[in-house]
Amino acid sequence: MSAILVAVSGLIVFALGYRFYSKFITERIYRLDPDYVTPAHKYKDGVDFVPTNKYVLWGHHFTSVAGAAPILGPAIAVYWGWLPAVLWVVLGTVFAAGVHDFGTLVLSVRNKGQSIGTLANKLIGQRGKILFLFIILILVLMVNAVFAWVIANLFITYPASVIPVFIQIPLAIWIGYAVYKRNVKMLVPSLVALAVMYATAIVASGTEFLQIDLVRYMGGEEAAGLFGLGAVSTAFFIWILILLAYVYVASTLPVWKLLQPRDFINSHQLVVGLAILYLGLFLTNPEITAPATNPGADTSWMPLLFITIACGAISGFHGLVSSGTSSKQLNKETDARFVGYFGAVGEGILALVSIMAVVTLFANADEFLGAYDSFESAGAIGLGNFVEGAGNLAQGLMIPQAVATTIVSIIVVSFAATTLDTSVRLMRYIISELGTEYKVPALTKTHVATTIAVGSTAALVLIPEGPQGFGSGGYLLWPLFGTSNQLLAGISLLLISLWLKRLGRNYIYTLIPMVFLLFMTMYALFQQVVFQWAWWADGSNTLLFVFGAINFVFALWIALTAFSVMAKTGNDPIDND
């Protein structure tokens, strides 16, 4: 099967979805008003509420939601074959993710820029809000742990990416001051910053001196490290501490100082990266060597496929970004279609090329099946296979393999760091909301809430041990991240449906993906909690069992409460602040 044929087919469906389906949702369902005064203007404070050009905001939104998940999830899910992965990415993006991301953005804008968790109080009551906030808290904690784990491992595997990634920080701060203090247009400085990053990447790829290889500094993989750990584990530990120190500072700064300019740079990175990968795909014209389906899989794709591809098709984390940060920066309500729905389409485009990079990497189907011999193996090798496969595609543009893999790893790290920063910021908001709710004033303080967010992330990513040894927290937590993420998306769609019903609008377009997603996710979570993670299974997954059981009970409770409210609710407009 030609990879070009599959990719082009998917891109056509994405284009048609944005052109026609999102337009229908905009005009007939969400009914955007160009004259509506958005929270960015109404509550403008120069810190969180900042009216922002839609293209700049799209850059922030897209890179915040992109992260590593639309790469890692599909790279694992091809274990069941490329066909089910492609179908879910394409159809899920058009009919579920776009509606979800767009809807949570509009719902928040229409309600003072409040987060989807806070809005649960207005829609389904105080108890539902508290349960929902705890589910969100668990999710963002999973996101923090998983993405910190991803970045640390990429820095260890691809040390040439370290300096280019860290150069981005002072460049972004410079751009932030130039744009917001001197009224300089952001486009040209962002392109200059990107050029500096990639020039550094090219030099670092061939210069060992510019590669920050902590394992090599300690004498190699077999050398002893600190605290009785090996060199690799020590390097991982050091990178986690550095990342969390950075994200502490980044998540407490005003959004214009670092978050927005860095995200705008990363939006260019994404465009450049996607251009390189798709052009490389068209020029090399590779064949898909992986099987369309894998009948010998040791686990069924139903329902695990829909939680493994956690962000490539739909993601609850997107709703947190839409309602947590993007809604506070939306300049005009009509910009929500571009920022929300097209942001989801961009995510789908990234997930699609991630699949193509992996399924064209191997010489034949036997080699693919030998590497992906179990679902556990798929989780361990998925991200590395994407980087290598993407490097092969980039060679179609005459980019050397070493440079290509460095640039690809820089793109993945940059997105993951952006998501990590946004996620810690969101976790701070939630902790503060809980502090207000339970009358604990200390929790409403920025640095107290941030310290809790960063400290709990460090504990979660460093404490667990498993097949990968010390620091395997992120790897072990991926299945729970997927279920938490999709549960949140399903509940968010449920809240949007309830909101639309109260407004007397047709909510079938949010209700159908909501029912599908909640059923699949609850089914998958029940399977994992009862048959995989419970102490009566093998007793080695206590952490996953506890978090999974809490998630299942809370999600079921919220869903039943919301369905009960929906059954009793008539037209009762709550649309205005």
Side-chain angles (χ1 to χ4, degrees):
M1 173 66 73
S2 168
I4 291 179
L5 178 61
V6 175
V8 169
S9 299
L11 293 175
I12 290 173
V13 176
F14 288 143
L16 293 174
Y18 182 72
R19 173 65 181 83
F20 295 105
Y21 192 61
S22 74
K23 187 172 185 290
F24 167 78
I25 296 294
T26 297
E27 296 176 352
R28 301 291 296 277
I29 308 301
Y30 295 151
R31 302 180 190 176
L32 304 188
D33 179 2
D35 297 322
Y36 183 80
V37 181
T38 64
H41 290 281
K42 188 175 295 186
Y43 308 109
K44 182 178 178 180
D45 61 6
V47 178
D48 293 317
F49 292 87
V50 180
T52 305
N53 175 279
K54 71 176 183 179
Y55 298 104
V56 175
L57 181 55
W58 179 85
H60 154 69
H61 179 84
F62 190 11
T63 52
S64 293
V65 301
I71 294 170
L72 180 56
I76 296 172
V78 294
Y79 167 69
W80 293 293
W82 63 265
L83 183 59
V86 167
L87 288 176
W88 175 233
V89 162
V90 173
L91 298 179
T93 295
V94 171
F95 295 108
V99 176
H100 168 272
D101 297 12
F102 187 8
T104 49
L105 180 56
V106 174
L107 179 58
S108 178
V109 166
R110 284 284 173 166
N111 289 274
K112 303 179 181 180
Q114 294 175 327
S115 73
I116 194 70
T118 301
L119 291 173
N121 182 34
K122 183 180 288 188
L123 292 165
I124 59 175
Q126 180 73 5
R127 181 183 297 168
K129 170 194 171 181
I130 299 302
L131 293 172
F132 198 27
L133 284 176
F134 275 111
I135 286 183
I136 295 172
L137 194 63
I138 291 172
L139 171 61
V140 292
L141 185 56
M142 298 297 109
V143 170
N144 295 345
V146 169
F147 282 35
W149 175 83
V150 165
I151 296 170
N153 277 283
L154 284 173
F155 277 164
I156 293 170
T157 307
Y158 304 100
S161 67
V162 175
I163 289 181
V165 167
F166 277 92
I167 277 179
Q168 187 187 46
I169 298 172
L171 290 172
I173 293 173
W174 163 67
I175 292 172
Y177 275 98
V179 171
Y180 287 95
K181 297 300 183 181
R182 299 185 179 180
N183 297 317
V184 176
K185 298 295 183 183
M186 191 177 286
L187 179 60
V188 173
S190 297
L191 293 176
V192 171
L194 189 63
V196 171
M197 288 178 63
Y198 285 175
T200 307
I202 292 171
V203 175
S205 297
T207 308
E208 190 174 88
F209 175 73
L210 294 178
Q211 298 177 13
I212 309 301
D213 190 345
L214 298 184
V215 175
R216 176 167 55 85
Y217 296 161
M218 286 181 280
E221 293 185 6
E222 302 302 321
L226 303 175
F227 314 119
L229 303 172
V232 175
S233 294
T234 301
F236 180 87
F237 178 76
I238 292 172
W239 280 128
I240 290 294
L241 294 183
I242 292 173
L243 286 169
L244 293 181
Y246 155 75
V247 83
Y248 184 101
V249 175
S251 63
T252 55
L253 290 175
V255 292
W256 64 267
K257 282 190 176 180
L258 178 59
L259 185 67
Q260 282 187 353
R262 188 197 56 208
D263 289 353
F264 199 56
I265 297 171
N266 286 341
S267 69
H268 296 315
Q269 277 210 85
L270 184 57
V271 172
V272 170
L274 288 174
I276 288 173
L277 295 180
Y278 276 102
L279 284 174
L281 184 71
F282 294 143
L283 291 174
T284 57
N285 190 22
E287 288 290 314
I288 295 177
T289 53
T293 59
N294 181 8
D298 60 358
T299 57
S300 172
W301 65 271
M302 175 74 77
L304 292 181
L305 174 74
F306 305 104
I307 63 168
T308 301
I309 303 181
C311 289
I314 184 171
S315 164
F317 184 74
H318 294 194
L320 296 184
V321 175
S322 289
S323 65
T325 59
S326 298
S327 64
K328 297 176 177 63
Q329 302 171 58
L330 198 71
N331 185 42
K332 296 174 62 177
E333 190 176 64
T334 47
D335 293 345
R337 177 191 177 199
F338 181 77
V339 174
Y341 196 100
F342 191 61
V345 169
E347 188 97 333
I349 292 172
L350 176 58
L352 181 62
V353 80
S354 300
I355 294 172
M356 294 300 103
V358 174
V359 299
T360 58
L361 173 63
F362 298 91
N364 51 57
D366 288 339
E367 186 176 312
F368 173 88
L369 293 172
Y372 282 81
D373 60 345
S374 68
F375 184 62
E376 182 177 339
S377 297
I381 65 176
L383 187 60
N385 283 344
F386 165 76
V387 174
E388 297 301 322
N392 286 347
L393 295 181
Q395 288 186 78
L397 299 177
M398 308 302 292
I399 300 176
Q401 177 75 22
V403 174
T405 52
T406 297
I407 290 176
V408 170
S409 62
I410 289 170
I411 292 173
V412 177
V413 168
S414 297
F415 294 163
T418 297
T419 304
L420 185 61
D421 176 3
T422 301
S423 181
V424 171
R425 186 180 291 264
L426 291 171
M427 192 171 180
R428 166 166 61 88
Y429 293 160
I430 296 165
I431 292 171
S432 295
E433 285 188 44
L434 290 171
T436 300
E437 187 65 39
Y438 289 105
K439 297 179 174 55
V440 184
L443 295 181
T444 64
K445 306 296 184 182
T446 295
H447 290 287
V448 173
T450 305
T451 299
I452 294 172
V454 171
S456 58
T457 297
L460 198 57
V461 75
L462 291 173
I463 289 175
E465 295 189 15
Q468 305 301 306
F470 173 80
S472 61
Y475 169 79
L476 293 174
L477 292 168
W478 181 260
L480 185 55
F481 163 72
T483 51
S484 302
N485 198 26
Q486 306 307 70
L487 276 178
L488 180 57
I491 296 170
S492 297
L493 283 169
L494 180 56
L495 295 178
I496 297 169
S497 300
L498 182 57
W499 173 64
L500 292 173
K501 186 175 189 291
R502 287 188 174 184
L503 295 174
R505 299 178 190 173
N506 189 346
Y507 56 93
I508 192 69
Y509 302 98
T510 55
L511 188 68
I512 291 176
M514 178 270 291
V515 171
F516 176 82
L517 199 62
L518 278 182
F519 174 77
M520 288 298 175
T521 308
M522 295 293 281
Y523 178 23
L525 186 55
F526 179 79
Q527 278 191 332
Q528 290 173 317
V529 168
V530 174
F531 299 112
Q532 291 179 242
W533 301 336
W535 67 84
W536 53 79
D538 60 12
S540 63
N541 295 305
T542 304
L543 184 71
L544 294 177
F545 174 76
V546 171
F547 276 105
I550 292 172
N551 258 6
F552 183 84
V553 172
F554 281 10
L556 185 61
W557 196 344
I558 291 172
L560 293 175
T561 301
F563 278 122
S564 175
V565 171
M566 182 176 287
K568 299 174 183 177
T569 300
N571 294 356
D572 178 24
I574 58 166
D575 196 19
N576 296 310
D577 296 3

